[in-house]
């Protein structure tokens, strides 16, 4: 593969340019070892398709989503305001992100604080390119393979995005099998609303184990996700069930990147 | 002809009407104890939502069997009330089957239609009683459903069954009286359901049959009024509040959290940004988030009165499904109990958070919106949970320690994890090793 370019917005500005699209990487995409691979995969797709994009790099900061959902509105708004100042300072208009939490917050919550951007999740972005015929995939390893997609609450119920991830998987001629609880009835991975950052309250079972059992019961060999929190929770679940040799958890961006034609 | 029945009728109507009006005022007053929230925008979308969700029962049909049975009761309620109009006029004017001479053959069609609906309501109520008490559908047996809530559910069904039996019994007695050519009983034609009851009544002498007919009539009309009053103290209030509650639905994307403008003002002034309208008297600013029911928006309080405790929210809640304490239905029931208590002046130094709802419950919420999606009347338990989390985080600094650590990380490292902000772009370097 030819050299991968990851320009920062600051670099581009120094050349007097503004990217068409800002790739908002998110904290998980920047720091989580597993999700960094998703960030890389998506970057490779952007490069492959020649998309005019840039990242904020070291200037990026948490959107404030977990703080707001844990009740710390002050901290959320401090984060949001400084992010909006940064984005507006660079004249950013369109943002794509692989994190449904960043997506939801920037798209739905930043406008109340004066930040207005055209925000898309990477699955919708890729679906758009697929529909336009710019993104071409070959089934390859995934052709006919049993894949189940775990809906992210923040894409699905929160923002009504159910079809983009499924269309992308179907474009690979994969055998998409649905779990009993899917789409509007999807079961949370257990990490939203700030749960990622603390232990769960006492109960009979962890939510991610319940969800993983459901995913495994479909017989799928691939659990596709489209959210860093879902990725962590489902991977942990698969490990807990000692199925990591047989079943893999992959982000849709990774699956598409592996299948680029 | 004596006027006594008419006078009794007027009194029988007036007393519950007075009590119902008083109770409606009380409920309205309680709802208005909540904080302001603007839900008057976008009226066309709001009417549409109300039409689809409340009138059209759209979200009920996620579960087809209860939806069908519920639809029968709902249509029965709407349509049989047309017959109640005739009841009222007959009672006031001292007439009997006032509409019969005017409607001709159609009266028989209408009465038969009502009877079929009455039977439908009756059967649905019986099936619902079986689902609650024999099959014990899991969502009706959760801890918050013990005692009064379970009794309330059963009472409603039993009252509805009794009211439907009264209608059928009255019609059966009426048919017997018609067949005996008793004066004043209009020809209604054969009524298909109640005619099955005719043999039970036909053995009595005419006086007793007349008494049965009048008895059933009075039972039905007094029953309706008593039930209407009961409803205002019951979960069954959803039959009225479902309409305004869906009209004032949250039309924003579910993932969007309501901004706290008071905080925005403070954050802006801290950052030295221009503030449009600083609060006139900062000392009077309410508390951040909700500790008690009156800290919630009026909409949350209306939702508490609109909740019919069906438990679809709790059945879908991932925390509840995995045995955690959180039950969105309980959040709504607690809110209603608490605002009622405040409305009755029995505050007793208690508060919604702490005395009714625990931190353990609210902390278990993943804000996944399964509850709001599941609610057939668009109730938003998440809004209440979030307001309480806000109170705990901002007024008490009482969030779980690991959340406080996450807050500190965001403040100092601009990420919820403890990584150096300068390492944020390191992932790109990993590419070289890829």
């Amino acid at each position: 593969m030819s050299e991968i370019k990851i320009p920062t917005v600051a670099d581009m500005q120094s050349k007097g340019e503004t990217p068409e699209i800002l790739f908002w990487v998110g904290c998980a995409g920047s720091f989580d070892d597993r999700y960094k691979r998703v960030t890389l995969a998506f970057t490779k797709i952007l490069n492959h398709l020649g998309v005019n994009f840039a990242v904020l790099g070291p200037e990026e900061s948490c959107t404030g989503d977990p703080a707001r959902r844990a009740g710390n509105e002050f901290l959320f708004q401090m984060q949001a305001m400084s992010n909006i100042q940064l984005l507006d300072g660079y004249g950013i208009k369109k943002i794509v992100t692989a994190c449904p939490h960043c997506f939801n917050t920037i798209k739905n919550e930043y406008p109340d604080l004066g930040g207005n951007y055209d925000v898309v999740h990477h699955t919708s972005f890729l679906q758009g390119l697929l529909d336009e015929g710019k993104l071409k995939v070959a089934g390859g390893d995934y052709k006919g393979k049993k894949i189940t997609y775990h809906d992210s609450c923040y894409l699905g119920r929160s923002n009504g995005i159910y079809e983009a991830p499924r269309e992308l998987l179907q474009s690979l001629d994969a055998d998409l099998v649905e779990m009993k609880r899917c789409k509007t009835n999807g079961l949370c991975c257990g990490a939203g609303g700030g749960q990622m950052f603390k232990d769960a309250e006492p109960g009979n079972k962890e939510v991610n184990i319940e969800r993983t059992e459901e995913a495994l019961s479909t017989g799928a060999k691939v659990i596709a996700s489209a959210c860093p929190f879902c990725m962590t929770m489902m991977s942990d679940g698969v490990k807990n069930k000692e199925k990591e040799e047989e079943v893999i958890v992959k982000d849709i961006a990774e699956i598409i990147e592996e299948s680029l034609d | 002809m004596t006027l006594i029945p008419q006078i009794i009728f007027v009194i029988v109507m007036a007393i519950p009407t007075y009590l119902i009006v008083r109770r409606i005022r009380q409920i309205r007053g309680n709802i208005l104890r909540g904080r302001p929230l603007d839900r008057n925008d976008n009226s066309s979308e709001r009417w549409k939502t109300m039409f689809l969700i409340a009138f059209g029962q759209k979200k009920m049909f996620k579960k087809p069997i209860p939806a069908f049975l519920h639809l029968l009761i709902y249509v029965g309620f709407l349509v049989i009330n047309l017959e109640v109009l005739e009841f009222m006029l007959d009672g006031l004017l001292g007439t009997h089957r006032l509409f019969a001479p005017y409607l001709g053959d159609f009266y028989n069609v209408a009465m038969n239609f009502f009877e079929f609906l009455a039977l439908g309501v009756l059967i649905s109520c019986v099936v619902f009683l079986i689902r609650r008490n024999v099959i014990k559908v899991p969502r009706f047996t959760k801890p918050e459903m013990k005692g009064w809530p379970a009794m309330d559910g059963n009472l409603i069904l039993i009252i509805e069954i009794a009211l439907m039996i009264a209608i059928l019994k009255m019609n059966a007695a009426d048919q017997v009286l018609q067949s005996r050519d008793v004066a004043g009983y209009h020809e209604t034609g054969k009524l298909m359901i109640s005619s099955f009851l005719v043999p039970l009544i036909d053995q009595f002498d005419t006086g007793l049959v007349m008494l049965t007919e009048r008895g059933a009539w009075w039972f039905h009309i007094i029953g309706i009024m008593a039930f209407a009053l009961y409803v205002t103290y019951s979960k069954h209030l959803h039959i009225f509040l479902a309409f305004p509650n869906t009209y004032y639905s949250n039309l924003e994307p579910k993932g969007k959290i309501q901004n706290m403008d008071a905080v925005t003002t403070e954050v802006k002034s801290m950052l030295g940004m221009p503030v449009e309208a600083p609060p006139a008297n900062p000392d009077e600013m309410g508390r951040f988030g909700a500790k008690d029911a009156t800290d919630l928006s009026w909409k949350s309080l209306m939702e508490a009165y609109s909740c019919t405790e069906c438990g679809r929210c709790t059945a879908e809640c991932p925390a509840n499904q995995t045995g955690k304490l959180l039950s969105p239905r309980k959040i709504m029931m607690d809110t209603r109990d608490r605002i009622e208590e405040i409305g009755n002046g029995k505050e007793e130094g208690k508060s919604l958070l702490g005395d009714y709802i625990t931190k353990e419950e609210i902390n278990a919420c993943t804000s996944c919106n399964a509850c709001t999606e599941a609610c057939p009347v668009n109730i938003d338990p998440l809004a209440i949970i979030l307001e309480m989390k806000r109170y705990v985080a901002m007024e008490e600094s009482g969030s779980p320690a690991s959340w406080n650590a996450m807050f500190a990380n965001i403040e100092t490292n601009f990420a919820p994890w403890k990584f150096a902000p300068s390492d944020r772009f390191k992932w790109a370097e990993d590419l070289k090793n890829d």
Side-chain angles (χ1 to χ4, degrees):
Chain A
M1 198 178 260
S2 58
E3 202 203 336
I4 305 294
K5 290 196 182 70
I6 312 170
T8 63
V9 182
D11 285 344
M12 287 184 88
Q13 201 188 39
S14 65
K15 291 184 219 156
E17 294 167 23
T18 308
E20 264 171 48
I21 292 165
L22 172 76
F23 171 27
W24 182 277
V25 180
C27 300
S30 304
F31 294 116
D32 180 87
D33 281 336
R34 177 66 188 86
Y35 221 65
K36 278 198 255 181
R37 303 208 319 256
V38 178
T39 308
L40 285 175
F42 188 61
T43 315
K44 285 179 187 170
I45 301 173
L46 294 174
N47 269 269
H48 178 83
L49 298 174
V51 176
N52 177 356
F53 81 101
V55 297
L56 285 167
E59 288 187 284
E60 201 185 270
S61 182
C62 174
T63 59
D65 157 86
R68 178 171 245 193
R69 275 149 190 82
N72 195 334
E73 181 78 4
F74 271 102
L75 183 54
F76 163 74
Q77 290 202 14
M78 292 293 284
Q79 286 299 115
M81 296 277 196
S82 55
N83 283 326
I84 291 166
Q85 281 180 333
L86 183 73
L87 292 167
D88 287 350
Y90 282 128
I92 299 299
K93 299 274 182 291
K94 186 167 181 177
I95 298 173
V96 61
T97 178
C99 174
H101 294 264
C102 298
F103 163 72
N104 176 68
T105 302
I106 302 174
K107 178 174 185 279
N108 295 324
E109 297 180 354
Y110 279 20
D112 281 343
L113 299 167
N116 292 290
Y117 317 99
D118 175 11
V119 193
V120 284
H121 185 253
H122 74 327
T123 54
S124 306
F125 180 77
L126 293 174
Q127 185 210 4
L129 293 171
L130 189 74
D131 292 348
E132 285 171 38
K134 288 181 186 157
L135 175 67
K136 289 192 178 68
V137 289
D141 286 352
Y142 294 99
K143 201 167 191 166
K145 204 167 195 173
K146 249 188 185 179
I147 296 182
T148 191
Y149 169 65
H150 162 73
D151 281 287
S152 144
C153 306
Y154 275 79
L155 274 192
R157 275 190 298 266
S158 286
N159 290 289
I161 299 173
Y162 298 107
E163 289 313 317
R166 289 179 166 80
E167 258 189 54
L168 288 165
L169 292 172
Q170 271 155 350
S171 73
L172 305 167
D173 292 325
D175 178 13
L176 184 62
V177 285
E178 293 290 355
M179 291 182 253
K180 193 168 161 261
R181 287 171 281 193
C182 63
K183 300 184 184 172
T184 55
N185 300 321
L187 181 73
C188 177
C189 70
Q195 301 297 333
M196 186 73 180
F197 306 101
K198 69 165 179 57
D199 289 333
E201 276 55 39
N204 310 325
K205 202 189 239 184
E206 297 303 326
V207 178
N208 67 325
I209 302 298
E210 170 85 6
R211 187 53 162 171
T212 305
E213 284 170 359
E214 193 171 13
L216 294 175
S217 74
T218 62
K221 294 295 161 221
V222 182
I223 301 172
S225 68
C227 167
F229 294 173
C230 298
M231 162 73 78
T232 302
M233 299 307 268
M234 297 307 283
S235 303
D236 286 354
V238 170
K239 263 180 226 143
N240 179 282
K241 295 277 160 193
E242 296 178 347
K243 292 279 182 197
E244 65 265 43
E245 300 292 325
E246 305 141 56
V247 178
I248 50 168
V249 184
K250 284 221 164 164
D251 190 277
I252 289 181
E254 294 178 297
I255 295 173
I256 294 294
E257 194 266 329
E258 285 172 35
S259 313
L260 285 176
D261 200 10
Chain B
M1 195 70 183
T2 158
L3 277 174
I4 291 171
Q6 281 160 266
I7 294 166
I8 295 173
F9 179 81
V10 171
I11 295 169
V12 160
M13 300 305 285
I15 295 169
T17 303
Y18 167 75
L19 294 173
I20 291 166
V21 169
R22 201 178 64 164
R23 176 66 180 150
I24 290 170
R25 283 199 179 151
Q26 190 189 13
I27 293 168
R28 187 171 177 274
N30 284 349
I31 290 172
L32 293 176
R33 286 172 201 269
R35 286 188 181 171
L37 175 71
D38 185 14
R39 287 274 168 91
N40 284 312
D41 58 324
N42 213 342
S43 63
S44 62
E45 182 69 20
R46 295 191 176 283
W47 281 110
K48 198 178 131 197
T49 306
M50 186 180 92
F51 188 77
L52 286 174
I53 308 289
F55 191 75
Q57 313 264 296
K58 186 181 166 197
K59 287 172 92 178
M60 283 297 288
F61 278 88
K62 282 197 158 195
K63 291 181 188 292
I65 295 169
F68 176 71
L69 297 169
H70 182 269
L71 187 71
L72 275 177
I73 298 180
Y74 168 65
V75 174
F77 170 74
L78 291 181
V79 177
I80 294 173
N81 274 331
L82 291 174
E83 195 182 1
V84 173
L85 180 69
E86 190 187 41
F87 269 64
M88 297 287 175
L89 292 171
D90 279 344
L92 281 173
L93 303 172
T95 52
H96 182 68
R97 296 198 183 264
L98 179 68
F99 297 159
Y102 301 101
L103 295 178
D105 289 345
F106 182 73
Y107 191 79
N108 175 260
V109 176
M111 283 299 133
N112 270 313
F113 183 53
F114 294 157
E115 285 208 344
F116 272 102
L117 283 174
L119 183 69
V121 171
L122 206 156
I123 291 170
S124 297
C125 290
V126 170
V127 177
F128 280 158
L129 277 173
I130 293 170
R131 281 167 57 90
R132 277 175 180 264
N133 301 290
V134 181
I135 304 174
K136 295 192 193 291
V137 172
R139 63 191 159 94
F140 297 125
T141 60
K142 298 271 171 183
E144 68 268 22
M145 296 309 287
K146 301 276 180 289
W148 169 245
M151 173 72 97
D152 188 18
N154 284 330
L155 273 177
I156 291 160
L157 295 168
I158 291 166
I159 296 170
E160 285 177 15
I161 290 171
L163 290 173
M164 293 307 113
I165 290 175
I167 285 192
L168 296 173
K169 198 172 161 191
M170 179 189 83
N171 283 351
D174 204 310
Q175 286 181 83
V176 172
L177 295 167
Q178 291 168 38
S179 69
R180 294 182 190 174
D181 288 326
V182 180
Y185 291 92
H186 298 279
E187 192 62 45
T188 58
K190 190 182 174 188
L191 299 175
M192 295 207 241
I193 309 296
S194 59
S195 54
F196 285 102
L197 299 174
V198 165
L200 296 176
I201 295 169
D202 214 7
Q203 51 190 304
F204 300 128
D205 64 54
T206 302
L208 190 55
V209 178
M210 285 173 82
L211 201 66
T212 305
E213 194 278 334
R214 282 294 86 190
W217 189 91
W218 280 103
F219 181 88
H220 190 73
I221 198 75
I222 294 173
I224 284 175
M225 294 307 286
F227 188 47
L229 178 60
Y230 173 81
V231 161
T232 63
Y233 290 92
S234 151
K235 75 184 188 87
H236 211 48
L237 196 50
H238 82 284
I239 60 175
F240 300 114
L241 281 181
F243 295 90
N245 197 62
T246 48
Y247 180 85
Y248 292 114
S249 289
N250 178 18
L251 300 178
E252 301 278 2
K254 283 188 159 63
K256 178 182 172 172
I257 283 178
Q258 179 80 17
N259 196 61
M260 286 180 77
D261 296 336
V263 171
T264 308
T265 309
E266 288 208 15
V267 170
K268 277 187 174 169
S269 54
M270 277 163 70
L271 295 172
M273 293 163 76
V275 177
E276 284 128 37
N281 188 352
D283 295 339
E284 280 180 13
M285 218 155 64
R287 55 167 72 118
F288 291 120
K291 182 187 190 201
D292 212 341
T294 46
D295 300 325
L296 298 167
S297 76
W298 63 267
K299 181 62 182 23
S300 289
L301 299 179
M302 178 188 270
E303 288 174 350
Y305 280 109
S306 308
C307 174
T308 197
E309 301 167 12
C310 72
R312 285 167 166 81
C313 52
T314 293
E316 295 292 322
C317 173
N320 195 276
Q321 284 181 11
T322 53
K324 280 113 191 149
L325 270 188
L326 175 64
S327 162
R329 167 173 58 189
K330 179 178 172 291
I331 301 286
M332 302 317 299
M333 291 167 74
D334 286 341
T335 302
R336 176 176 169 148
D337 288 350
R338 178 59 189 159
I339 198 66
E340 276 282 294
E341 192 176 59
I342 293 171
N344 293 331
K346 291 183 196 149
E347 281 152 79
E348 293 165 25
K350 289 201 267 178
S351 61
L352 182 60
L353 178 66
D355 295 301
Y356 286 82
I357 299 170
T358 60
K359 282 190 198 174
E360 185 179 332
E361 290 167 74
I362 57 169
N363 285 344
C365 173
T366 67
S367 67
C368 74
N369 273 301
C371 55
T372 64
E373 179 73 38
C375 181
V377 295
N378 284 354
I379 290 172
D380 183 2
L382 182 49
I384 298 178
I385 295 170
L386 182 80
E387 286 304 321
M388 293 193 170
K389 281 185 178 171
R390 282 173 166 174
Y391 174 79
V392 174
M394 292 189 284
E395 295 272 356
E396 280 190 333
S397 302
S399 301
S402 32
W403 271 357
N404 283 329
M406 178 260 287
F407 297 154
N409 287 332
I410 294 177
E411 252 174 296
T412 51
N413 305 320
F414 311 113
W417 294 285
K418 206 176 176 110
F419 289 108
S422 53
D423 289 347
R424 188 176 269 273
F425 198 31
K426 263 195 166 173
W427 62 269
E429 284 171 32
D430 295 354
L431 189 65
K432 291 167 195 156
N433 317 321
D434 197 32

